[in-house]
Amino acid sequence: MKISLSFAAKNPQFLKKIRRIRSDFEGFFDDFSLVDLINPIHEAILIGVTESRGDDFLK
């Protein structure tokens, strides 16, 4: 299964900070891609990160 991380930011400083820590997630993505799912309903998962929602927002 593929996993991707995408960013949408209005604030350029937020985007710069996120780009700096993006490499910290690479190990997680590599490990996740090795998981062999039984009867997966999707081929990939996309995680979107933005600063335009409240701290308690999750969709």
Side-chain angles (χ1 to χ4, degrees):
M1 168 143 314
K2 297 176 188 175
I3 187 166
S4 299
L5 187 61
S6 179
F7 305 103
K10 293 180 182 178
N11 182 341
Q13 293 171 340
F14 174 80
L15 192 56
K16 184 177 180 180
K17 290 176 183 178
I18 289 293
R19 284 183 182 148
R20 193 176 315 140
I21 66 167
R22 183 184 182 108
S23 62
D24 295 341
F25 292 96
E26 293 302 321
F28 169 73
F29 295 155
D30 293 341
D31 291 345
F32 193 86
S33 68
L34 297 175
V35 174
D36 194 21
L37 300 178
I38 299 171
N39 300 321
I41 58 173
H42 299 289
E43 292 181 16
I45 295 174
L46 173 62
I47 300 171
V49 179
T50 183
E51 91 286 14
S52 65
R53 302 289 183 153
D55 292 343
D56 59 346
F57 181 81
L58 178 65
K59 184 174 179 181

